[in-house]
Amino acid sequence: MLPAVFADDDLALRFVGGLDDVLAPILNVLDCLDTYFDPALTPADFAQWLGSWIGAETDGTEPEPMLRAAVAAAARLHRVRGTRQGLSEAVLLAFGVEPDIAESGGADWNARPLGPFPGAPRPHLHVTLRLPEPRPGDTHRLDALVAAARPAHMPYTVEVTAAERTPER
């Protein structure tokens, strides 16, 4: 695509060829830029960076499919952060197992004034996770995840136990 004056010049052709080698990767990235922001298509290392950029609850040790799922769900989880649903989904994405969540709060309606209050007088949240093969770091990871996804005012405790095994027939 050079003008005819430069198309016959060997030095100009080699110079432009060198620029093609340097600029081709940049142009390739720019042509595919939208795929870098799609968690299903982006390279794994970029998915990890993208997760840190948008606040996905990852620690860098999860397998690639779980990492991509956590990055894809991060925006939706931010909308339900601080709720029982949000906490349950965050733990499910991080560990692949649904937790048991016990909380002290409640909501109720009563037509008469001074009716009984639902829930316990002192707020508390307890998250139990039953894993097939718990590892020593799982309790710390669950604690960090619950600390980030719980309501800010709520004291909490976490527990990781081994799942009960059922005999196979």
Side-chain angles (χ1 to χ4, degrees):
M1 300 191 70
L2 290 173
V5 174
F6 297 113
D8 294 334
D9 186 7
D10 185 50
L11 177 65
L13 289 176
R14 284 185 287 142
F15 180 73
V16 172
L19 287 177
D20 280 345
D21 292 341
V22 171
L23 294 176
I26 296 170
L27 295 174
N28 190 26
V29 167
L30 290 175
D31 286 343
C32 302
L33 189 61
D34 58 327
T35 61
Y36 278 86
F37 297 103
D38 184 350
L41 301 175
T42 191
D45 59 338
F46 196 83
Q48 196 167 12
W49 176 82
L50 188 60
S52 69
W53 191 41
I54 61 172
E57 299 294 342
T58 61
D59 67 353
T61 62
E62 51 275 319
E64 188 177 325
M66 289 180 79
L67 169 69
R68 292 179 185 279
V71 172
R76 181 176 46 81
L77 286 178
H78 286 309
R79 286 193 298 269
V80 292
R81 188 177 210 126
T83 65
R84 183 184 188 114
Q85 175 193 359
L87 179 59
S88 179
E89 287 184 31
V91 172
L92 179 63
L93 279 171
F95 290 95
V97 176
E98 188 148 344
D100 293 328
I101 299 174
E103 58 183 327
S104 60
D108 198 7
W109 181 86
N110 195 333
R112 289 182 282 156
L114 302 175
F117 289 107
R122 300 190 82 194
H124 188 72
L125 173 70
H126 182 74
V127 179
T128 304
L129 187 61
R130 290 178 177 78
L131 295 174
E133 296 177 14
R135 296 176 304 203
D138 288 338
T139 303
H140 175 69
R141 185 169 177 216
L142 179 63
D143 184 65
L145 185 65
V146 171
R150 69 183 167 92
H153 68 283
M154 183 80 73
Y156 70 96
T157 56
V158 297
E159 178 183 9
V160 176
T161 61
E164 296 177 10
R165 297 182 183 196
T166 56
E168 295 181 26
R169 296 179 185 186

mmCIF file of all heavy atoms in Angstrom, residues 81-130:
data_model
loop_
_atom_site.group_PDB
_atom_site.id
_atom_site.type_symbol
_atom_site.label_atom_id
_atom_site.label_comp_id
_atom_site.label_asym_id
_atom_site.label_seq_id
_atom_site.Cartn_x
_atom_site.Cartn_y
_atom_site.Cartn_z
ATOM 1 N N ARG A 81 -25.138 -7.496 47.507
ATOM 2 C CA ARG A 81 -24.160 -7.561 48.601
ATOM 3 C C ARG A 81 -24.817 -7.168 49.920
ATOM 4 O O ARG A 81 -25.609 -6.241 49.988
ATOM 5 C CB ARG A 81 -23.008 -6.624 48.299
ATOM 6 C CG ARG A 81 -21.881 -6.766 49.267
ATOM 7 C CD ARG A 81 -20.728 -5.872 48.879
ATOM 8 N NE ARG A 81 -19.518 -6.507 49.333
ATOM 9 C CZ ARG A 81 -18.478 -6.776 48.589
ATOM 10 N NH1 ARG A 81 -18.470 -6.425 47.346
ATOM 11 N NH2 ARG A 81 -17.442 -7.377 49.093
ATOM 12 N N GLY A 82 -24.495 -7.898 50.971
ATOM 13 C CA GLY A 82 -25.051 -7.612 52.285
ATOM 14 C C GLY A 82 -26.364 -8.330 52.541
ATOM 15 O O GLY A 82 -26.925 -8.203 53.618
ATOM 16 N N THR A 83 -26.842 -9.118 51.584
ATOM 17 C CA THR A 83 -28.068 -9.891 51.786
ATOM 18 C C THR A 83 -27.716 -11.362 51.917
ATOM 19 O O THR A 83 -26.617 -11.802 51.564
ATOM 20 C CB THR A 83 -29.035 -9.710 50.599
ATOM 21 O OG1 THR A 83 -28.440 -10.276 49.424
ATOM 22 C CG2 THR A 83 -29.361 -8.247 50.360
ATOM 23 N N ARG A 84 -28.664 -12.126 52.414
ATOM 24 C CA ARG A 84 -28.463 -13.569 52.549
ATOM 25 C C ARG A 84 -28.201 -14.206 51.177
ATOM 26 O O ARG A 84 -27.331 -15.057 51.031
ATOM 27 C CB ARG A 84 -29.690 -14.184 53.207
ATOM 28 C CG ARG A 84 -29.570 -15.650 53.473
ATOM 29 C CD ARG A 84 -30.892 -16.190 54.038
ATOM 30 N NE ARG A 84 -30.713 -17.542 54.464
ATOM 31 C CZ ARG A 84 -30.782 -17.950 55.716
ATOM 32 N NH1 ARG A 84 -31.050 -17.082 56.667
ATOM 33 N NH2 ARG A 84 -30.602 -19.209 56.013
ATOM 34 N N GLN A 85 -28.961 -13.781 50.176
ATOM 35 C CA GLN A 85 -28.792 -14.299 48.823
ATOM 36 C C GLN A 85 -27.400 -13.987 48.289
ATOM 37 O O GLN A 85 -26.731 -14.847 47.708
ATOM 38 C CB GLN A 85 -29.852 -13.715 47.899
ATOM 39 C CG GLN A 85 -29.663 -14.124 46.448
ATOM 40 C CD GLN A 85 -30.519 -13.304 45.495
ATOM 41 O OE1 GLN A 85 -31.276 -12.434 45.908
ATOM 42 N NE2 GLN A 85 -30.389 -13.570 44.214
ATOM 43 N N GLY A 86 -26.943 -12.758 48.468
ATOM 44 C CA GLY A 86 -25.629 -12.360 47.980
ATOM 45 C C GLY A 86 -24.511 -13.128 48.649
ATOM 46 O O GLY A 86 -23.555 -13.562 47.995
ATOM 47 N N LEU A 87 -24.616 -13.323 49.955
ATOM 48 C CA LEU A 87 -23.607 -14.079 50.692
ATOM 49 C C LEU A 87 -23.594 -15.533 50.234
ATOM 50 O O LEU A 87 -22.540 -16.118 50.004
ATOM 51 C CB LEU A 87 -23.876 -13.984 52.195
ATOM 52 C CG LEU A 87 -22.927 -14.751 53.105
ATOM 53 C CD1 LEU A 87 -21.496 -14.276 52.911
ATOM 54 C CD2 LEU A 87 -23.354 -14.583 54.550
ATOM 55 N N SER A 88 -24.762 -16.114 50.090
ATOM 56 C CA SER A 88 -24.862 -17.509 49.657
ATOM 57 C C SER A 88 -24.268 -17.697 48.265
ATOM 58 O O SER A 88 -23.516 -18.645 48.021
ATOM 59 C CB SER A 88 -26.323 -17.951 49.683
ATOM 60 O OG SER A 88 -26.437 -19.280 49.257
ATOM 61 N N GLU A 89 -24.581 -16.801 47.336
ATOM 62 C CA GLU A 89 -24.050 -16.909 45.972
ATOM 63 C C GLU A 89 -22.540 -16.691 45.937
ATOM 64 O O GLU A 89 -21.840 -17.359 45.174
ATOM 65 C CB GLU A 89 -24.750 -15.924 45.052
ATOM 66 C CG GLU A 89 -26.171 -16.318 44.720
ATOM 67 C CD GLU A 89 -26.820 -15.366 43.732
ATOM 68 O OE1 GLU A 89 -26.110 -14.796 42.879
ATOM 69 O OE2 GLU A 89 -28.048 -15.205 43.824
ATOM 70 N N ALA A 90 -22.027 -15.783 46.744
ATOM 71 C CA ALA A 90 -20.581 -15.539 46.768
ATOM 72 C C ALA A 90 -19.832 -16.770 47.277
ATOM 73 O O ALA A 90 -18.803 -17.156 46.719
ATOM 74 C CB ALA A 90 -20.267 -14.319 47.636
ATOM 75 N N VAL A 91 -20.353 -17.404 48.325
ATOM 76 C CA VAL A 91 -19.715 -18.609 48.860
ATOM 77 C C VAL A 91 -19.834 -19.758 47.851
ATOM 78 O O VAL A 91 -18.885 -20.513 47.646
ATOM 79 C CB VAL A 91 -20.325 -18.996 50.226
ATOM 80 C CG1 VAL A 91 -19.807 -20.343 50.700
ATOM 81 C CG2 VAL A 91 -20.011 -17.920 51.256
ATOM 82 N N LEU A 92 -20.986 -19.880 47.215
ATOM 83 C CA LEU A 92 -21.178 -20.925 46.208
ATOM 84 C C LEU A 92 -20.200 -20.756 45.047
ATOM 85 O O LEU A 92 -19.612 -21.735 44.573
ATOM 86 C CB LEU A 92 -22.622 -20.905 45.697
ATOM 87 C CG LEU A 92 -22.986 -21.928 44.628
ATOM 88 C CD1 LEU A 92 -22.849 -23.339 45.158
ATOM 89 C CD2 LEU A 92 -24.397 -21.689 44.129
ATOM 90 N N LEU A 93 -19.991 -19.531 44.587
ATOM 91 C CA LEU A 93 -19.035 -19.293 43.501
ATOM 92 C C LEU A 93 -17.599 -19.575 43.931
ATOM 93 O O LEU A 93 -16.800 -20.082 43.151
ATOM 94 C CB LEU A 93 -19.136 -17.857 43.010
ATOM 95 C CG LEU A 93 -20.266 -17.572 42.040
ATOM 96 C CD1 LEU A 93 -20.399 -16.076 41.812
ATOM 97 C CD2 LEU A 93 -20.031 -18.280 40.721
ATOM 98 N N ALA A 94 -17.254 -19.264 45.166
ATOM 99 C CA ALA A 94 -15.878 -19.433 45.626
ATOM 100 C C ALA A 94 -15.538 -20.883 45.942
ATOM 101 O O ALA A 94 -14.422 -21.332 45.699
ATOM 102 C CB ALA A 94 -15.635 -18.572 46.863
ATOM 103 N N PHE A 95 -16.503 -21.631 46.492
ATOM 104 C CA PHE A 95 -16.214 -22.988 46.951
ATOM 105 C C PHE A 95 -16.936 -24.079 46.159
ATOM 106 O O PHE A 95 -16.599 -25.246 46.287
ATOM 107 C CB PHE A 95 -16.585 -23.133 48.429
ATOM 108 C CG PHE A 95 -15.678 -22.379 49.344
ATOM 109 C CD1 PHE A 95 -16.017 -21.104 49.778
ATOM 110 C CD2 PHE A 95 -14.487 -22.921 49.784
ATOM 111 C CE1 PHE A 95 -15.185 -20.389 50.621
ATOM 112 C CE2 PHE A 95 -13.650 -22.217 50.627
ATOM 113 C CZ PHE A 95 -14.000 -20.945 51.048
ATOM 114 N N GLY A 96 -17.968 -23.716 45.411
ATOM 115 C CA GLY A 96 -18.724 -24.720 44.678
ATOM 116 C C GLY A 96 -19.716 -25.473 45.538
ATOM 117 O O GLY A 96 -20.291 -26.466 45.103
ATOM 118 N N VAL A 97 -19.927 -25.033 46.780
ATOM 119 C CA VAL A 97 -20.837 -25.682 47.722
ATOM 120 C C VAL A 97 -21.710 -24.604 48.348
ATOM 121 O O VAL A 97 -21.215 -23.539 48.719
ATOM 122 C CB VAL A 97 -20.041 -26.424 48.829
ATOM 123 C CG1 VAL A 97 -20.969 -27.025 49.856
ATOM 124 C CG2 VAL A 97 -19.146 -27.489 48.226
ATOM 125 N N GLU A 98 -22.997 -24.885 48.475
ATOM 126 C CA GLU A 98 -23.904 -23.918 49.095
ATOM 127 C C GLU A 98 -23.745 -23.957 50.615
ATOM 128 O O GLU A 98 -23.733 -25.025 51.214
ATOM 129 C CB GLU A 98 -25.350 -24.225 48.710
ATOM 130 C CG GLU A 98 -26.273 -23.140 49.163
ATOM 131 C CD GLU A 98 -27.449 -22.954 48.228
ATOM 132 O OE1 GLU A 98 -27.409 -23.444 47.096
ATOM 133 O OE2 GLU A 98 -28.396 -22.298 48.670
ATOM 134 N N PRO A 99 -23.624 -22.803 51.265
ATOM 135 C CA PRO A 99 -23.420 -22.773 52.715
ATOM 136 C C PRO A 99 -24.746 -22.840 53.476
ATOM 137 O O PRO A 99 -25.815 -22.597 52.923
ATOM 138 C CB PRO A 99 -22.759 -21.413 52.936
ATOM 139 C CG PRO A 99 -23.384 -20.560 51.877
ATOM 140 C CD PRO A 99 -23.547 -21.464 50.683
ATOM 141 N N ASP A 100 -24.642 -23.168 54.766
ATOM 142 C CA ASP A 100 -25.776 -23.033 55.683
ATOM 143 C C ASP A 100 -25.585 -21.701 56.397
ATOM 144 O O ASP A 100 -24.552 -21.464 57.024
ATOM 145 C CB ASP A 100 -25.798 -24.167 56.709
ATOM 146 C CG ASP A 100 -26.077 -25.517 56.064
ATOM 147 O OD1 ASP A 100 -26.813 -25.542 55.061
ATOM 148 O OD2 ASP A 100 -25.554 -26.526 56.552
ATOM 149 N N ILE A 101 -26.600 -20.829 56.301
ATOM 150 C CA ILE A 101 -26.495 -19.491 56.885
ATOM 151 C C ILE A 101 -27.571 -19.353 57.953
ATOM 152 O O ILE A 101 -28.755 -19.542 57.676
ATOM 153 C CB ILE A 101 -26.671 -18.407 55.807
ATOM 154 C CG1 ILE A 101 -25.577 -18.542 54.745
ATOM 155 C CG2 ILE A 101 -26.649 -17.019 56.430
ATOM 156 C CD1 ILE A 101 -25.741 -17.620 53.563
ATOM 157 N N ALA A 102 -27.141 -19.023 59.159
ATOM 158 C CA ALA A 102 -28.071 -18.745 60.259
ATOM 159 C C ALA A 102 -27.872 -17.297 60.657
ATOM 160 O O ALA A 102 -26.762 -16.857 60.928
ATOM 161 C CB ALA A 102 -27.793 -19.673 61.437
ATOM 162 N N GLU A 103 -28.972 -16.544 60.685
ATOM 163 C CA GLU A 103 -28.888 -15.133 61.046
ATOM 164 C C GLU A 103 -29.934 -14.815 62.103
ATOM 165 O O GLU A 103 -30.938 -15.507 62.233
ATOM 166 C CB GLU A 103 -29.057 -14.257 59.812
ATOM 167 C CG GLU A 103 -30.347 -14.474 59.071
ATOM 168 C CD GLU A 103 -30.431 -13.634 57.813
ATOM 169 O OE1 GLU A 103 -29.889 -12.520 57.804
ATOM 170 O OE2 GLU A 103 -31.056 -14.097 56.859
ATOM 171 N N SER A 104 -29.689 -13.771 62.846
ATOM 172 C CA SER A 104 -30.562 -13.436 63.971
ATOM 173 C C SER A 104 -31.705 -12.506 63.603
ATOM 174 O O SER A 104 -32.622 -12.329 64.385
ATOM 175 C CB SER A 104 -29.729 -12.763 65.062
ATOM 176 O OG SER A 104 -29.146 -11.580 64.545
ATOM 177 N N GLY A 105 -31.665 -11.912 62.438
ATOM 178 C CA GLY A 105 -32.646 -10.896 62.091
ATOM 179 C C GLY A 105 -33.973 -11.457 61.626
ATOM 180 O O GLY A 105 -34.154 -12.658 61.484
ATOM 181 N N GLY A 106 -34.904 -10.574 61.433
ATOM 182 C CA GLY A 106 -36.216 -10.961 60.947
ATOM 183 C C GLY A 106 -37.026 -9.726 60.620
ATOM 184 O O GLY A 106 -36.713 -8.616 61.047
ATOM 185 N N ALA A 107 -38.105 -9.918 59.890
ATOM 186 C CA ALA A 107 -39.012 -8.831 59.555
ATOM 187 C C ALA A 107 -40.432 -9.370 59.667
ATOM 188 O O ALA A 107 -40.710 -10.493 59.280
ATOM 189 C CB ALA A 107 -38.750 -8.323 58.144
ATOM 190 N N ASP A 108 -41.304 -8.555 60.214
ATOM 191 C CA ASP A 108 -42.682 -8.995 60.413
ATOM 192 C C ASP A 108 -43.575 -7.770 60.434
ATOM 193 O O ASP A 108 -43.120 -6.644 60.635
ATOM 194 C CB ASP A 108 -42.794 -9.769 61.728
ATOM 195 C CG ASP A 108 -44.051 -10.615 61.793
ATOM 196 O OD1 ASP A 108 -44.765 -10.713 60.774
ATOM 197 O OD2 ASP A 108 -44.325 -11.186 62.858
ATOM 198 N N TRP A 109 -44.856 -7.999 60.257
ATOM 199 C CA TRP A 109 -45.839 -6.920 60.296
ATOM 200 C C TRP A 109 -46.905 -7.316 61.309
ATOM 201 O O TRP A 109 -47.306 -8.473 61.406
ATOM 202 C CB TRP A 109 -46.462 -6.737 58.921
ATOM 203 C CG TRP A 109 -47.462 -5.632 58.874
ATOM 204 C CD1 TRP A 109 -47.204 -4.319 58.665
ATOM 205 C CD2 TRP A 109 -48.872 -5.747 59.033
ATOM 206 N NE1 TRP A 109 -48.357 -3.588 58.687
ATOM 207 C CE2 TRP A 109 -49.412 -4.459 58.925
ATOM 208 C CE3 TRP A 109 -49.734 -6.797 59.284
ATOM 209 C CZ2 TRP A 109 -50.755 -4.198 59.030
ATOM 210 C CZ3 TRP A 109 -51.079 -6.541 59.395
ATOM 211 C CH2 TRP A 109 -51.576 -5.240 59.265
ATOM 212 N N ASN A 110 -47.365 -6.330 62.078
ATOM 213 C CA ASN A 110 -48.388 -6.605 63.068
ATOM 214 C C ASN A 110 -49.358 -5.430 63.075
ATOM 215 O O ASN A 110 -48.943 -4.270 63.092
ATOM 216 C CB ASN A 110 -47.758 -6.785 64.459
ATOM 217 C CG ASN A 110 -48.714 -7.428 65.442
ATOM 218 O OD1 ASN A 110 -49.933 -7.316 65.312
ATOM 219 N ND2 ASN A 110 -48.146 -8.094 66.430
ATOM 220 N N ALA A 111 -50.647 -5.705 63.080
ATOM 221 C CA ALA A 111 -51.651 -4.638 63.065
ATOM 222 C C ALA A 111 -51.747 -3.929 64.411
ATOM 223 O O ALA A 111 -52.156 -2.777 64.486
ATOM 224 C CB ALA A 111 -53.018 -5.208 62.688
ATOM 225 N N ARG A 112 -51.369 -4.611 65.474
ATOM 226 C CA ARG A 112 -51.429 -3.997 66.805
ATOM 227 C C ARG A 112 -50.070 -3.455 67.206
ATOM 228 O O ARG A 112 -49.051 -4.077 66.936
ATOM 229 C CB ARG A 112 -51.878 -5.030 67.836
ATOM 230 C CG ARG A 112 -53.350 -5.381 67.658
ATOM 231 C CD ARG A 112 -53.811 -6.356 68.702
ATOM 232 N NE ARG A 112 -53.302 -7.682 68.278
ATOM 233 C CZ ARG A 112 -53.092 -8.690 69.096
ATOM 234 N NH1 ARG A 112 -53.322 -8.560 70.379
ATOM 235 N NH2 ARG A 112 -52.662 -9.831 68.650
ATOM 236 N N PRO A 113 -50.047 -2.289 67.846
ATOM 237 C CA PRO A 113 -48.761 -1.749 68.292
ATOM 238 C C PRO A 113 -48.186 -2.600 69.421
ATOM 239 O O PRO A 113 -48.897 -3.318 70.110
ATOM 240 C CB PRO A 113 -49.102 -0.343 68.774
ATOM 241 C CG PRO A 113 -50.557 -0.359 69.059
ATOM 242 C CD PRO A 113 -51.158 -1.396 68.160
ATOM 243 N N LEU A 114 -46.887 -2.499 69.572
ATOM 244 C CA LEU A 114 -46.139 -3.189 70.625
ATOM 245 C C LEU A 114 -46.249 -4.699 70.525
ATOM 246 O O LEU A 114 -46.230 -5.416 71.525
ATOM 247 C CB LEU A 114 -46.594 -2.713 72.017
ATOM 248 C CG LEU A 114 -46.458 -1.206 72.269
ATOM 249 C CD1 LEU A 114 -47.032 -0.844 73.614
ATOM 250 C CD2 LEU A 114 -45.010 -0.785 72.170
ATOM 251 N N GLY A 115 -46.346 -5.209 69.308
ATOM 252 C CA GLY A 115 -46.357 -6.661 69.096
ATOM 253 C C GLY A 115 -44.954 -7.224 69.298
ATOM 254 O O GLY A 115 -43.978 -6.494 69.491
ATOM 255 N N PRO A 116 -44.828 -8.530 69.272
ATOM 256 C CA PRO A 116 -43.502 -9.138 69.478
ATOM 257 C C PRO A 116 -42.575 -8.845 68.299
ATOM 258 O O PRO A 116 -42.998 -8.790 67.152
ATOM 259 C CB PRO A 116 -43.814 -10.634 69.566
ATOM 260 C CG PRO A 116 -45.098 -10.797 68.832
ATOM 261 C CD PRO A 116 -45.858 -9.522 69.033
ATOM 262 N N PHE A 117 -41.298 -8.646 68.599
ATOM 263 C CA PHE A 117 -40.299 -8.393 67.571
ATOM 264 C C PHE A 117 -39.746 -9.724 67.067
ATOM 265 O O PHE A 117 -39.466 -10.620 67.863
ATOM 266 C CB PHE A 117 -39.147 -7.540 68.117
ATOM 267 C CG PHE A 117 -39.549 -6.127 68.377
ATOM 268 C CD1 PHE A 117 -39.716 -5.661 69.668
ATOM 269 C CD2 PHE A 117 -39.736 -5.255 67.322
ATOM 270 C CE1 PHE A 117 -40.086 -4.355 69.915
ATOM 271 C CE2 PHE A 117 -40.104 -3.940 67.552
ATOM 272 C CZ PHE A 117 -40.282 -3.496 68.856
ATOM 273 N N PRO A 118 -39.569 -9.859 65.770
ATOM 274 C CA PRO A 118 -38.996 -11.102 65.249
ATOM 275 C C PRO A 118 -37.488 -11.128 65.442
ATOM 276 O O PRO A 118 -36.853 -10.104 65.648
ATOM 277 C CB PRO A 118 -39.355 -11.048 63.769
ATOM 278 C CG PRO A 118 -39.396 -9.599 63.459
ATOM 279 C CD PRO A 118 -39.933 -8.942 64.716
ATOM 280 N N GLY A 119 -36.915 -12.313 65.363
ATOM 281 C CA GLY A 119 -35.460 -12.441 65.438
ATOM 282 C C GLY A 119 -34.951 -12.349 66.862
ATOM 283 O O GLY A 119 -35.714 -12.323 67.836
ATOM 284 N N ALA A 120 -33.652 -12.298 66.992
ATOM 285 C CA ALA A 120 -32.986 -12.225 68.291
ATOM 286 C C ALA A 120 -32.640 -10.775 68.601
ATOM 287 O O ALA A 120 -32.452 -9.960 67.702
ATOM 288 C CB ALA A 120 -31.719 -13.074 68.270
ATOM 289 N N PRO A 121 -32.542 -10.428 69.895
ATOM 290 C CA PRO A 121 -32.233 -9.038 70.244
ATOM 291 C C PRO A 121 -30.813 -8.610 69.862
ATOM 292 O O PRO A 121 -30.564 -7.440 69.625
ATOM 293 C CB PRO A 121 -32.430 -8.979 71.750
ATOM 294 C CG PRO A 121 -32.457 -10.380 72.221
ATOM 295 C CD PRO A 121 -32.814 -11.244 71.066
ATOM 296 N N ARG A 122 -29.877 -9.554 69.790
ATOM 297 C CA ARG A 122 -28.502 -9.212 69.417
ATOM 298 C C ARG A 122 -28.221 -9.750 68.019
ATOM 299 O O ARG A 122 -28.443 -10.923 67.748
ATOM 300 C CB ARG A 122 -27.515 -9.831 70.399
ATOM 301 C CG ARG A 122 -27.773 -9.324 71.820
ATOM 302 C CD ARG A 122 -26.701 -9.720 72.744
ATOM 303 N NE ARG A 122 -25.620 -8.752 72.550
ATOM 304 C CZ ARG A 122 -24.400 -8.929 72.996
ATOM 305 N NH1 ARG A 122 -24.077 -10.017 73.632
ATOM 306 N NH2 ARG A 122 -23.490 -8.008 72.805
ATOM 307 N N PRO A 123 -27.740 -8.924 67.115
ATOM 308 C CA PRO A 123 -27.478 -9.386 65.749
ATOM 309 C C PRO A 123 -26.306 -10.364 65.701
ATOM 310 O O PRO A 123 -25.323 -10.206 66.428
ATOM 311 C CB PRO A 123 -27.152 -8.101 64.989
ATOM 312 C CG PRO A 123 -26.671 -7.159 66.026
ATOM 313 C CD PRO A 123 -27.400 -7.515 67.298
ATOM 314 N N HIS A 124 -26.439 -11.376 64.861
ATOM 315 C CA HIS A 124 -25.352 -12.333 64.672
ATOM 316 C C HIS A 124 -25.583 -13.114 63.385
ATOM 317 O O HIS A 124 -26.715 -13.370 62.993
ATOM 318 C CB HIS A 124 -25.239 -13.303 65.845
ATOM 319 C CG HIS A 124 -24.013 -14.152 65.762
ATOM 320 N ND1 HIS A 124 -22.758 -13.662 65.974
ATOM 321 C CD2 HIS A 124 -23.859 -15.455 65.439
ATOM 322 C CE1 HIS A 124 -21.870 -14.632 65.804
ATOM 323 N NE2 HIS A 124 -22.520 -15.739 65.473
ATOM 324 N N LEU A 125 -24.495 -13.493 62.756
ATOM 325 C CA LEU A 125 -24.519 -14.259 61.518
ATOM 326 C C LEU A 125 -23.553 -15.426 61.675
ATOM 327 O O LEU A 125 -22.419 -15.238 62.125
ATOM 328 C CB LEU A 125 -24.077 -13.365 60.350
ATOM 329 C CG LEU A 125 -23.882 -14.011 58.993
ATOM 330 C CD1 LEU A 125 -25.228 -14.415 58.409
ATOM 331 C CD2 LEU A 125 -23.194 -13.035 58.054
ATOM 332 N N HIS A 126 -24.007 -16.624 61.331
ATOM 333 C CA HIS A 126 -23.141 -17.807 61.398
ATOM 334 C C HIS A 126 -23.228 -18.531 60.061
ATOM 335 O O HIS A 126 -24.316 -18.864 59.587
ATOM 336 C CB HIS A 126 -23.567 -18.742 62.533
ATOM 337 C CG HIS A 126 -22.677 -19.937 62.661
ATOM 338 N ND1 HIS A 126 -21.419 -19.860 63.181
ATOM 339 C CD2 HIS A 126 -22.863 -21.227 62.297
ATOM 340 C CE1 HIS A 126 -20.858 -21.070 63.154
ATOM 341 N NE2 HIS A 126 -21.726 -21.911 62.610
ATOM 342 N N VAL A 127 -22.061 -18.769 59.443
ATOM 343 C CA VAL A 127 -21.995 -19.443 58.152
ATOM 344 C C VAL A 127 -21.251 -20.756 58.328
ATOM 345 O O VAL A 127 -20.109 -20.774 58.804
ATOM 346 C CB VAL A 127 -21.278 -18.563 57.095
ATOM 347 C CG1 VAL A 127 -21.202 -19.285 55.770
ATOM 348 C CG2 VAL A 127 -21.987 -17.233 56.944
ATOM 349 N N THR A 128 -21.923 -21.845 57.984
ATOM 350 C CA THR A 128 -21.323 -23.176 58.043
ATOM 351 C C THR A 128 -21.163 -23.689 56.620
ATOM 352 O O THR A 128 -22.098 -23.648 55.828
ATOM 353 C CB THR A 128 -22.207 -24.144 58.834
ATOM 354 O OG1 THR A 128 -22.440 -23.601 60.138
ATOM 355 C CG2 THR A 128 -21.554 -25.503 58.975
ATOM 356 N N LEU A 129 -19.983 -24.194 56.327
ATOM 357 C CA LEU A 129 -19.691 -24.719 55.002
ATOM 358 C C LEU A 129 -19.232 -26.160 55.147
ATOM 359 O O LEU A 129 -18.273 -26.442 55.868
ATOM 360 C CB LEU A 129 -18.606 -23.874 54.326
ATOM 361 C CG LEU A 129 -18.292 -24.167 52.875
ATOM 362 C CD1 LEU A 129 -19.536 -23.935 52.005
ATOM 363 C CD2 LEU A 129 -17.149 -23.296 52.393
ATOM 364 N N ARG A 130 -19.926 -27.064 54.486
ATOM 365 C CA ARG A 130 -19.579 -28.482 54.537
ATOM 366 C C ARG A 130 -18.910 -28.866 53.217
ATOM 367 O O ARG A 130 -19.575 -28.956 52.191
ATOM 368 C CB ARG A 130 -20.828 -29.313 54.784
ATOM 369 C CG ARG A 130 -21.365 -29.125 56.175
ATOM 370 C CD ARG A 130 -22.647 -29.928 56.408
ATOM 371 N NE ARG A 130 -23.114 -29.795 57.775
ATOM 372 C CZ ARG A 130 -23.758 -28.751 58.255
ATOM 373 N NH1 ARG A 130 -24.026 -27.732 57.477
ATOM 374 N NH2 ARG A 130 -24.140 -28.702 59.510
#
